[in-house]
Amino acid sequence: MSQSTQSNDVIQVTDSAVRAIRQALIDEAHPAGAFLRVSVKGGGCSGLSYDLSFTTAARDDDHVIEREEVKIAIDPKSALVLAGTALDYTSGLNGKGFVFQNPNATGTCGCGSSFSV
Amino acid sequence: MNCDDAPPTTREYDALLRGAAFVDLPSERLVRFTGADRVTFLESQLTQKLADLAPREVRPAALADRKGHAVADLVVARDDDALLVCVRSDRVDPVLSLLDRHRFSEDVAWSVAPFERALLLAGPLTEALLASLRLTTRRELQRPVGAPVLVAMPIAEISPHDWLLFMAPESEVEVRAILSMAGGLEVGARAFHLRRMEVGVGWFGHELDEERLIPEGGWSDRVHYAKGCYLGQETLARLHYRGQLNWLLSRVGGSGQAPAVSTRLLDAGAADVGWLASAEVRPEGGWSGLAYLRRAFRESPGPLVQAGAAEVRGAGVEWRGEVRPFTPTVFAK
């Protein structure tokens, strides 16, 4: 895993994740001010799934993390189960994508896309 | 009205099998799910496919935990601006508690509908009973205007002709009177459960609990194996595609007195092959029940005997074949 951000943030975002987010903002031609929303939704074999989306709609109660001009927002309820999570980006022969390492997860499904707390 | 404690009578049995009957189901509740994400949220949680539910269509479903164990058997209906989910009252809290743990940013809300009474309409000759309540025979969710029944749902509980009727408590006496006048016979709960066992339908709280995997209870018609991820899907898909279900709720029966629930069942070689989950006496004598039987026995069935009951050994229990899933065709559009 690459270097993470400040330790008092809700989640830790690695350098490689920051680069991947910035590149996706460019590739998908999102408008200025767009940021990444990280949230938790119901779904998946274990009941809860991670959700990543770009948006310009901020909420007053969002937790906001800013790294190298990349903004990441997390709503308060999702923050409860994401606290301490490391968001990384991996690429390799076995695939590439964002990876969550969530210390609150008590179980995950086989493919790793959903979790339970 | 028949007393719930009375054993089934021939008249009740015949009405359920060949006529028109209704039975009090005091445990049924309707939960109303609203919000823009109601379908996608429940699709991600329940075992049944709901995304293509047509207006007023009704489907059986279930909720599992993440390991595939049963939480509740459900019936889901698409109303104009909501999904109506029928849940047994003692499962309302576990179901809503589990769903609430998985509700984050989704636009979905729920409330338990104030219809505190439910009756099940059963039997092949219920057309006149439906008409007496201003209901049609169309197998879809109905909300008759100006009638004492507020919501009617077609289901296949003990026959393909069944209906669940919800009403306000103050309308219950009127509905019973209307159904009786139209030729329906009110039957006791024990008669209903006898027929339920005979057709192989397991109920949570009777044969299933939170220790049982959903396919073990014969609930495969409540599961859509191709719809994608939902709570417990990993386990259920593995069981389905590998075909390695070690236990399955199966129909059993015999002559004489019904054995006690939990009685161990042995094969002809005295090997333990399962246990009795429920049993009820039949009006013409003997009994029917549901038992969990091992896979090896189901693949090569033979006579069953009760453990520790030498006096009925060899004469008591006979094999009646595997559980027969209920025909899902009655839910077709």
Side-chain angles (χ1 to χ4, degrees), chain B residues 120-194:
Chain B
L120 178 87
L121 209 56
L125 304 179
T126 53
E127 190 171 338
L129 275 62
L130 290 169
S132 72
L133 292 169
R134 299 182 211 172
L135 296 166
T136 73
T137 55
R138 284 181 64 90
R139 302 289 291 173
E140 63 181 23
L141 176 74
Q142 295 185 41
R143 288 178 164 279
V145 176
V149 168
L150 300 171
V151 174
M153 285 186 184
I155 61 168
E157 196 70 37
I158 59 173
S159 83
H161 316 285
D162 301 347
W163 288 82
L164 258 179
L165 310 177
F166 290 91
M167 67 215 74
E170 59 269 24
S171 300
E172 185 186 356
V173 172
E174 181 187 359
V175 172
R176 287 174 190 273
I178 290 171
L179 292 173
S180 296
M181 289 284 289
L185 177 70
E186 179 157 13
V187 304
R190 288 180 62 178
F192 164 74
H193 286 296
L194 170 62

Side-chain angles (χ1 to χ4, degrees), chain A residues 39-48 75 77-78 81 106-111 116-117, chain B residues 37 40-41 44-45 65-67 100-106 229-235:
Chain A
S39 61
V40 174
K41 288 188 171 178
C45 308
S46 295
L48 296 172
D75 67 89
K77 191 169 182 185
S78 296
V81 294
T106 56
T108 60
C109 67
C111 67
S116 57
V117 293
Chain B
D37 298 331
T40 52
F41 178 72
S44 75
Q45 301 294 313
D65 68 13
R66 70 184 179 91
K67 294 186 174 177
D100 194 41
R101 281 167 49 196
H102 297 155
R103 176 176 57 169
F104 279 77
S105 51
E106 297 88 346
C229 290
Y230 54 88
L231 192 55
Q233 184 255 357
E234 193 168 26
T235 303

Side-chain angles (χ1 to χ4, degrees), chain B residues 22-32 58 73-77 79 83-89 92 111-121 130 133 135 140-155 157 162-176 179 203:
Chain B
F22 59 99
V23 60
D24 188 11
L25 290 181
S27 62
E28 301 295 325
R29 291 288 181 276
L30 269 185
V31 182
R32 181 180 175 84
V58 181
D73 46 333
L74 310 165
V75 179
V76 182
D79 204 354
L83 287 177
L84 300 180
V85 179
C86 183
V87 191
R88 269 183 218 108
S89 58
V92 169
S111 60
V112 180
F115 310 140
E116 295 177 1
R117 299 299 301 169
L119 294 174
L120 178 87
L121 209 56
L130 290 169
L133 292 169
L135 296 166
E140 63 181 23
L141 176 74
Q142 295 185 41
R143 288 178 164 279
V145 176
V149 168
L150 300 171
V151 174
M153 285 186 184
I155 61 168
E157 196 70 37
D162 301 347
W163 288 82
L164 258 179
L165 310 177
F166 290 91
M167 67 215 74
E170 59 269 24
S171 300
E172 185 186 356
V173 172
E174 181 187 359
V175 172
R176 287 174 190 273
L179 292 173
W203 264 29

Side-chain angles (χ1 to χ4, degrees), chain A residues 9-89:
Chain A
D9 287 335
V10 174
I11 66 171
Q12 307 299 303
V13 187
T14 66
D15 293 341
S16 60
V18 170
R19 284 194 297 272
I21 295 165
R22 183 187 296 113
Q23 193 59 48
L25 281 164
I26 296 167
D27 292 346
E28 297 176 16
H30 290 284
F35 57 89
L36 180 72
R37 177 169 293 285
V38 180
S39 61
V40 174
K41 288 188 171 178
C45 308
S46 295
L48 296 172
S49 297
Y50 303 106
D51 188 62
L52 298 175
S53 61
F54 288 114
T55 180
T56 55
R59 291 170 40 165
D60 291 342
D61 54 358
D62 277 339
H63 295 271
V64 179
I65 299 166
E66 188 159 359
R67 286 281 313 277
E68 301 167 25
E69 299 177 358
V70 168
K71 278 188 179 177
I72 299 161
I74 304 170
D75 67 89
K77 191 169 182 185
S78 296
L80 291 174
V81 294
L82 290 173
T85 293
L87 174 62
D88 193 13
Y89 184 85

